[in-house]
Structure formats: C-alpha cells, structure tokens
Amino acid sequence: MSNEKIKTLETVYLKEWTIYLQIRNDKEMKWHHLERLHVLSQASLKKHIFIHITMIGEAYKDKNIREFLGQLIRLFLVIPWHIFHKLPIGNIGTTRVSAFTP
C-alpha cells in the first residue's frame, strides 16, 4: 500500500473514531460507526485488535451476549488471519454477518 493511501486511510479512520466517540450513547449509530471502523482497521493488526476489544466492551455495556461472544471469537481469529492473509476484507466485524464473509 502506498504512503498516500495509508495516510488517507488513517485520516478516514481518525474521522470515524471521532464520530464514534461523539455518538457512542446512541446504540444504533455507535454500531454503525464501529462496523465502519472495523473495515478501516483491517489494514493494521494493532487497530484491528483494538476495534474488536472496543466492540467487546460495547457489547458488554449493551448486555448483548450474542455480540459479546461473537467478538471474543473474532478476537481469537484476528492474529492468525493476519498472519496467513485470510482476512475476509470488507467484513463489518459484527455478528450481523458471518466472520468468514468478505
């Protein structure tokens, strides 16, 4: 990935993160922005793990057991998928879609 693309991706990621922080008390909107952040984070293992940890926290706060467990599973898959280049690119990262669907 070129430096310019990485810079653009970082800018969009930071804008999404700022929006998420501002609206995270709105359940529906926070998940919308977390899904967008997840897609943007897939280029970076560190960010990808961070977003799944954030999603676990939000699922816990929402008392959403299904999402909480789904995030735990995804968190364990993140590292091997990055290592073996098996990420389902574009996946929104929530239990609304299979963890295996691009």
Side-chain angles (χ1 to χ4, degrees), residues 34-47:
L34 284 170
E35 289 173 345
R36 291 173 54 91
L37 281 161
H38 179 266
V39 172
L40 294 166
S41 76
Q42 288 181 316
S44 162
L45 176 60
K46 185 177 174 181
K47 283 185 177 128

Side-chain angles (χ1 to χ4, degrees), residues 14-49:
L14 290 173
K15 284 181 183 177
E16 275 300 318
W17 183 255
T18 302
I19 293 168
Y20 158 73
L21 291 175
Q22 292 170 351
I23 55 84
R24 68 180 177 206
N25 290 327
D26 179 332
K27 244 187 206 185
E28 186 177 323
M29 288 306 294
K30 86 174 164 192
W31 284 102
H32 169 77
H33 288 283
L34 284 170
E35 289 173 345
R36 291 173 54 91
L37 281 161
H38 179 266
V39 172
L40 294 166
S41 76
Q42 288 181 316
S44 162
L45 176 60
K46 185 177 174 181
K47 283 185 177 128
H48 197 173
I49 290 170

